Amino acid sequence: MSKISVLVVGAGPSGLNLSLALARRKVPHRLIADANGPGEHSRAMVVQARTLEFYGQFGFAREVVNQGVAAEKAHVREGGESGGGREILTISFKEMGTGLTPYPFALAYPQDDHERFLIEKLKEAGVEVEWGAKLSGFQQDENGITAFVEHNTGRREEIEAAYICGCDGARSCVRETLKLDFPGGTYQQLFYVADVKITRGFDRDLYINLGEHILSLMFPVRSSGMQRLIGLVPPELSDRETLGFEDIRSRVEPLLDVKVSEVNWFSTYRAHHRVADKFRVGRAFIVGDAGHIHSPAGGQGMNTGIGDAINLGWKLAQVLQGRGDRSLLDSYEPERIGFARSLVSTTDRAFTGMVAEGVIGEFIRRIVAPQIFAIATRFNIGRHAIFRTVSQMRIHYPDSPLSQGAAGGVHGGDRLPWTGADNEDNFAPLQSLDWQAHVYGEARQDLETACRELKLPLHRFPWSLGAQEAGIKRDALYLVRPDGHVALASAEQSVNELTSYVSRFRLHFEGCSK
Ligand SMILES: Cc1cc2nc3c(=O)[nH]c(=O)nc-3n(C[C@H](O)[C@H](O)[C@H](O)COP(=O)(O)OP(=O)(O)OC[C@H]3O[C@@H](n4cnc5c(N)ncnc54)[C@H](O)[C@@H]3O)c2cc1C
């Protein structure tokens, strides 16, 4: 039996990111997956800006962007199942996101390419995925967990660890062992996914096509030069035993306004919407699809799992390395479960409305959705609000035990706003993956002294219009967490607030790199 700090179960996007977050912080752990290798088929197609910001912290966001297609526009089309579809909206991600993030676009990057990329990054960090290793159950007490693992060679192993993290997908063994409820439902509609070549050549934009009963999304895939189609199978075909692209071609082509010249891959699946009733029991955590699953139409599922992994990774590292109080781990569930619940209910409502039948559905697609969008995007504030929501930049933790204070428009728990459009990049120091203090303007002498004594890196940025527009308060103190969220905002640069926060969570910054 081997004793390690963390056993990560599952090597999808959530497990790979959790493992990277641990490896980069030098936490000894193992990463097992029952599959024999990385996924062969892409599921998630969109990497949101917030995920790219996390990858910026890992130092490889630009590499990821270069492997995908940074789509600056999405075209929303309506009708046309039997011809005559029309564009009802053009969404410019660039217009909506410029100035808010270094990544003002939606990145089309298939999940299979994405997973292979992360596996390479993990290898560079010294971690190999242990494929063909299936968790069959585990037990825990106050000192740790014992996990029962069956290797595909027939070998059985017991792994002892301080913590177990179930990143093991929708059918999570970790969730089932913990006997957690996973309430929700299954959409009655059948989805399809296909890789196709279209006659008009490679198209870099995103297309969202809404029709009665059938919805179809089209994304560019750089690595294959093809388009990925994800959509709903027409209801009259959804009970067929076997289904191929030819069965739906006559409905899909007019809806998308394309001619398909080659079909590389076609598959169908059913989607669910569920959230587990807890994300943690004792020393066991669940992460990603193990804890929440939603309609793929919102493009949020994988990104939310990656956000969970980033959130949990730094907290585990701090506690295991004796650099923070164990109560840091108590904040994982409240920070992530609330967002998962609201996401599942919003994507469910939006999805149900968009594919609704009859006059109501048509009214929503043709009138309500375009009108709401047109009104919401008339002004910068509305454009930014939509981009922040879809890109997951708006995720914040106002009620977290770790969130304290407000300065300007920035509250404890908010994502640190990006001020780097025309100025020094305030996200660059986040690559340390560690705690840091930021001041935009002048840092007071007593704060400088306190940070030096605490060994907390203090970053000073010149006061700028960008900082003001981002809601930052001049000369305020922002204590920034290792995941780029604000822990403490102090308008008065209060050293007392800083030191009492540090002692409350027993934070040690020794060894924090700049
Ligand atoms: C068609 C489709 C399109 C989608 N589009 C999007 C999108 O555009 N954007 C988006 O954000 N999301 C999208 N999603 C959702 C996204 O694919 C999932 O949210 C994502 O895969 C979840 O990642 P995960 O790592 O949590 O779980 P998974 O990817 O399911 O990984 C689970 C891992 O656990 C391992 N495992 C399972 N059981 C065990 C066990 N007992 N022992 C050991 N290992 C185990 C598996 O081998 C695997 O490695 C889409 C989903 C589908 C189906």
Side-chain angles (χ1 to χ4, degrees):
M1 265 203 278
S2 55
K3 174 95 184 179
I4 48 162
S5 295
V6 185
L7 176 63
V8 179
V9 185
S14 307
L16 293 168
N17 269 285
L18 178 57
S19 181
L20 257 172
L22 295 171
R24 288 293 187 91
R25 296 180 172 94
K26 307 209 171 350
V27 175
H29 67 282
R30 286 173 67 179
L31 169 56
I32 61 166
D34 66 349
N36 288 326
E40 304 252 307
H41 298 306
S42 166
R43 294 180 282 164
M45 272 303 297
V46 179
V47 181
Q48 303 289 0
R50 186 66 184 125
T51 299
L52 290 171
E53 291 179 353
F54 293 135
Y55 289 174
Q57 290 193 253
F58 283 140
F60 53 63
R62 289 289 157 199
E63 253 180 282
V64 170
V65 171
N66 290 339
Q67 294 198 16
V69 176
E72 291 179 355
K73 273 197 194 137
H75 305 270
V76 184
R77 294 171 44 83
E78 199 269 345
E81 287 162 57
S82 47
R86 64 182 182 114
E87 183 146 333
I88 48 175
L89 271 181
T90 308
I91 301 172
S92 165
F93 297 119
K94 197 169 177 196
E95 245 177 56
M96 294 198 302
T98 294
L100 298 179
T101 171
Y103 316 102
F105 42 77
L107 186 76
Y109 187 40
Q111 190 173 328
D112 45 354
D113 291 348
H114 189 165
E115 288 179 13
R116 279 193 296 274
F117 176 88
L118 293 172
I119 289 164
E120 281 310 306
K121 291 293 160 194
L122 262 179
K123 266 192 201 148
E124 288 169 20
V127 179
E128 294 278 346
V129 182
E130 298 176 48
W131 300 109
K134 182 182 168 78
L135 180 82
S136 58
F138 70 94
Q139 58 197 36
Q140 63 169 320
D141 60 29
E142 65 276 16
N143 299 315
I145 65 101
T146 305
F148 309 106
V149 175
E150 291 164 12
H151 293 265
N152 60 4
T153 52
R155 183 167 70 94
R156 285 169 190 269
E157 187 186 9
E158 287 186 11
I159 300 177
E160 286 203 333
Y163 295 98
I164 185 167
C165 297
C167 309
D168 46 351
R171 296 201 181 119
S172 169
C173 171
V174 174
R175 189 190 64 236
E176 280 170 12
T177 306
L178 294 171
K179 298 192 170 36
L180 298 180
D181 271 349
F182 200 31
T186 303
Y187 291 110
Q188 66 185 57
Q189 295 94 341
L190 184 68
F191 283 77
Y192 72 86
V193 53
D195 264 350
V196 302
K197 233 182 197 123
I198 54 174
T199 50
R200 71 167 183 247
F202 189 59
D203 191 321
R204 299 177 59 89
D205 287 351
L206 308 188
Y207 292 81
I208 301 162
N209 305 269
L210 310 169
E212 188 176 351
H213 310 305
I214 64 170
L215 161 118
S216 214
L217 311 178
M218 184 166 86
F219 306 90
V221 182
R222 181 194 290 279
S223 54
S224 63
M226 300 187 99
Q227 311 294 136
R228 171 77 35 87
L229 308 182
I230 298 176
L232 288 179
V233 170
E236 66 275 16
L237 298 177
S238 62
D239 288 332
R240 286 248 193 121
E241 294 256 306
T242 55
L243 197 72
F245 185 75
E246 290 315 318
D247 298 310
I248 59 168
R249 180 190 285 272
S250 65
R251 304 289 296 278
V252 170
E253 286 186 336
L255 182 68
L256 290 161
D257 195 23
V258 294
K259 288 272 174 244
V260 170
S261 56
E262 194 183 319
V263 180
N264 192 27
W265 171 62
F266 181 88
S267 182
T268 58
Y269 61 96
R270 292 210 182 263
H272 313 262
H273 50 100
R274 295 176 186 280
V275 185
D277 57 359
K278 281 175 188 276
F279 282 7
R280 178 194 182 182
V281 177
R283 292 176 167 273
F285 297 85
I286 54 171
V287 178
D289 272 23
H292 47 82
I293 45 174
H294 349 137
S295 149
Q300 303 287 320
M302 174 189 72
N303 292 278
T304 309
I306 292 172
D308 296 344
I310 298 293
N311 187 293
L312 183 58
W314 72 263
K315 292 172 183 171
L316 280 170
Q318 293 269 303
V319 171
L320 284 161
Q321 292 172 336
R323 298 179 65 216
D325 190 68
R326 273 169 70 164
S327 65
L328 288 177
L329 293 174
D330 299 339
S331 65
Y332 169 69
E333 180 182 290
E335 288 190 354
R336 298 306 296 179
I337 206 166
F339 174 68
R341 284 190 180 131
S342 70
L343 180 66
V344 168
S345 76
T346 5
T347 48
D348 184 41
R349 260 182 280 133
F351 175 73
T352 310
M354 285 299 179
V355 299
E357 297 178 18
V359 185
I360 292 184
E362 201 169 312
F363 181 65
I364 294 173
R365 286 187 294 276
R366 276 186 197 244
I367 318 278
V368 179
Q371 282 294 331
I372 290 176
F373 190 81
I375 293 166
T377 54
R378 194 166 296 156
F379 301 105
N380 245 349
I381 193 163
R383 284 196 284 273
H384 284 177
I386 293 178
F387 187 85
R388 277 183 214 278
T389 304
V390 175
S391 67
Q392 303 206 337
M393 282 164 42
R394 214 171 77 81
I395 294 178
H396 60 310
Y397 311 123
D399 303 323
S400 167
L402 303 188
S403 303
Q404 189 180 317
V410 180
H411 296 70
D414 288 355
R415 154 193 171 273
L416 177 75
W418 183 59
T419 64
D422 308 306
N423 305 291
E424 201 179 319
D425 185 0
N426 67 328
F427 276 14
L430 301 181
Q431 289 199 1
S432 71
L433 299 173
D434 222 325
W435 290 91
Q436 52 200 271
H438 284 203
V439 171
Y440 299 76
E442 297 291 322
R444 285 208 323 246
Q445 191 55 49
D446 59 341
L447 179 69
E448 301 235 8
T449 309
C451 288
R452 205 174 317 114
E453 283 169 3
L454 289 167
K455 300 195 166 46
L456 171 68
L458 169 63
H459 298 275
R460 306 158 199 83
F461 300 89
W463 180 245
S464 65
L465 185 62
Q468 186 177 341
E469 285 174 350
I472 283 176
K473 184 169 166 39
R474 187 174 192 152
D475 299 342
L477 160 69
Y478 297 98
L479 175 65
V480 185
R481 309 179 347 172
D483 58 0
H485 280 261
V486 172
L488 163 71
S490 165
E492 309 303 325
Q493 253 187 60
S494 162
V495 167
N496 269 346
E497 282 181 52
L498 174 65
T499 50
S500 67
Y501 187 99
V502 168
S503 62
R504 179 148 59 103
F505 295 106
R506 298 202 280 174
L507 303 176
H508 293 282
F509 304 121
E510 193 94 29
C512 265
S513 46
K514 268 226 153 197

